Amino acid sequence: KLNEYYGVELTEDSKMTLSEWLNLWLEKYMRNTIRESTFRSYVHIVKDNINPILGDKTVAFVTTNDIQKMYVKLKKEGRKNSHPKLGKSLSDSTIVRIHNMLHKAMDDAVKEHLIPKNPTIGTNPPKKKQPELQILNEEQLQQFMSAIEQDNIWRDFFYTEIKTGLRRGEICGLKWTDFNEDESSLRIYRSVSDGKKGGIAIGETKTGKGKRKIYLPPSVCSLLKERKQKTKSEWIFENPLYPNKPVSPSSAYKHLKIILKNAELPNIRFHDLRHTFAVLSLQNGDDVKTVQENLGHATAAFTLDVYGHVSERMKEDSAARMQGYFEKLERA
């Protein structure tokens, strides 16, 4: 479509390939603006998903149709190693991540006058499906609490997690300077992620709202006070082998799986502990805005999107309580 180029001034760099542009974009725009784990995932997407299909094409000539065909191909055969359930097919959520990253990169290519318009606009990536929430019910939660009570190394970590709903990287990144025992609160400033070759990376929280103060239940505050007396590490939850470092998110994930297996509990994700906390908060009367702020969600609308089904049940319960109230009033 030559009319797309009319009146558009493109630079000499528009002759570079898509692969060359994406590599430049990663270094120029992304390297120091996103978390290391996110940056590594972008590098993986470029290298393993986009470059083999469109990497050699001149960036200015990449079309919407090219990108749509790439999504279709990735959906069918985008996985290097066969998955037990998906085979060679990439999941819808992975293709959505590829689309979101490529959309950003091509938006910046427009700003750099490499292309006349963003070719990802007009494509039809899969709709991102909200994963089904898995939470521990009351009986399972009691089993979980009993199981962690027997674990001297990890008890405090998982006890704090289930009663605060912190993201995995956030709880791993807590320092004693974040703990205010006088007002029973924690400041959430940072997030730890797994780095290269078994190392760790320390960065900012997932969202701007992620930087927040939360108030602790008295039991958690007492636990942390006691823990503080026994440690010399700056980290609230230090690496058991290297106390000068925080516990790694991957270690926390692996140990959760061990606890669940030994306790014969459902094989939930670490993030489902956060979901369990959120649902319990709503069911026990916290309003959505309070839950949003405690969880560090960007907006209350997002919290409603994730936990709307819980609030619907709460509204039903509210209607039943009101009915009971008026029936009691009428009998009086």
Side-chain angles (χ1 to χ4, degrees):
K1 295 181 181 180
L2 293 176
N3 60 334
E4 291 178 356
Y5 292 83
Y6 290 156
V8 177
E9 292 184 10
L10 300 182
T11 67
E12 281 292 313
D13 287 339
S14 63
K15 295 178 182 178
M16 72 171 70
T17 64
L18 178 61
S19 173
E20 289 170 335
W21 162 242
L22 291 176
N23 289 334
L24 178 64
W25 175 77
L26 285 169
E27 291 299 326
K28 182 175 181 179
Y29 284 86
M30 296 291 106
R31 170 71 75 174
N32 298 313
T33 61
I34 55 178
R35 292 185 299 171
E36 184 182 335
S37 57
T38 305
F39 181 82
R40 290 200 310 273
S41 73
Y42 282 5
V43 170
H44 167 75
I45 287 172
V46 171
K47 180 183 175 185
D48 295 339
N49 301 128
I50 299 175
N51 281 353
I53 302 173
L54 291 178
D56 292 336
K57 187 152 188 173
T58 302
V59 65
F61 297 151
V62 174
T63 67
T64 299
N65 190 45
D66 289 331
I67 295 173
Q68 188 64 51
K69 284 181 178 178
M70 180 181 72
Y71 293 158
V72 172
K73 186 176 178 67
L74 290 172
K75 176 65 179 171
K76 288 182 178 178
E77 51 188 61
R79 192 182 296 272
K80 278 186 174 182
N81 301 313
S82 186
H83 186 274
K85 293 182 180 179
L86 298 173
K88 291 286 186 178
S89 173
L90 279 187
S91 67
D92 288 348
S93 60
T94 300
I95 296 174
V96 170
R97 285 199 298 272
I98 293 168
H99 170 77
N100 290 341
M101 189 219 76
L102 188 57
H103 180 81
K104 290 179 189 176
M106 298 312 260
D107 256 358
D108 289 327
V110 173
K111 294 173 187 174
E112 294 278 0
H113 300 286
L114 302 182
I115 57 177
K117 70 166 196 172
N118 188 333
T120 65
I121 297 172
T123 59
N124 291 300
K127 299 294 182 185
K128 189 173 182 180
K129 296 172 185 172
Q130 190 70 37
E132 187 177 343
L133 298 188
Q134 289 184 283
I135 64 168
L136 298 175
N137 61 32
E138 187 172 328
E139 181 183 344
Q140 291 166 342
L141 190 55
Q142 287 178 338
Q143 286 179 252
F144 182 76
M145 299 301 284
S146 296
I148 62 175
E149 191 63 35
Q150 309 305 314
D151 194 320
N152 293 330
I153 295 177
W154 288 92
R155 182 197 63 171
D156 294 357
F157 180 92
F158 284 109
Y159 189 88
T160 303
E161 172 57 31
I162 200 65
K163 292 200 172 187
T164 59
L166 294 174
R167 296 180 178 95
R168 182 163 41 133
E170 292 173 346
I171 188 169
C172 291
L174 290 174
K175 291 184 176 183
W176 288 114
T177 52
D178 305 327
F179 175 47
N180 185 326
E181 57 185 86
D182 293 329
E183 65 174 23
S184 190
S185 69
L186 280 173
R187 285 277 184 184
I188 315 301
Y189 285 118
R190 71 195 67 77
S191 181
V192 169
S193 58
D194 293 300
K196 296 178 180 178
K197 298 180 181 179
I200 57 167
I202 300 169
E204 295 188 343
T205 53
K206 185 175 181 180
T207 65
K209 288 280 188 180
K211 291 183 178 178
R212 62 200 187 278
K213 179 168 74 171
I214 63 170
Y215 289 94
L216 301 170
S219 60
V220 176
C221 187
S222 296
L223 178 146
L224 293 183
K225 283 181 182 179
E226 185 178 337
R227 184 178 180 85
K228 190 177 181 182
Q229 300 303 316
K230 300 176 183 177
T231 183
K232 295 181 180 179
S233 175
E234 66 176 321
W235 302 98
I236 293 181
F237 300 109
E238 73 275 14
N239 184 311
L241 299 177
Y242 306 99
N244 62 321
K245 295 180 180 180
V247 65
S248 73
S250 59
S251 294
Y253 176 85
K254 290 173 185 173
H255 205 79
L256 171 64
K257 296 298 183 179
I258 293 171
I259 291 172
L260 295 172
K261 184 177 180 180
N262 291 343
E264 298 182 345
L265 286 166
N267 186 30
I268 62 172
R269 304 165 303 165
F270 193 99
H271 206 71
D272 292 322
L273 297 179
R274 180 170 161 86
H275 289 322
T276 298
F277 166 82
V279 170
L280 287 172
S281 296
L282 289 166
Q283 289 177 340
N284 283 283
D286 285 351
D287 62 87
V288 171
K289 185 65 179 173
T290 298
V291 175
Q292 173 224 331
E293 291 178 352
N294 282 338
L295 293 176
H297 284 164
T299 64
F302 179 83
T303 308
L304 274 173
D305 282 345
V306 178
Y307 302 109
H309 68 294
V310 180
S311 59
E312 285 300 315
R313 286 206 301 269
M314 289 167 59
K315 284 190 282 187
E316 291 174 8
D317 293 342
S318 174
R321 286 195 300 272
M322 288 300 290
Q323 176 68 19
Y325 171 78
F326 280 107
E327 286 178 356
K328 182 179 178 181
L329 193 67
E330 288 164 4
R331 289 194 299 267

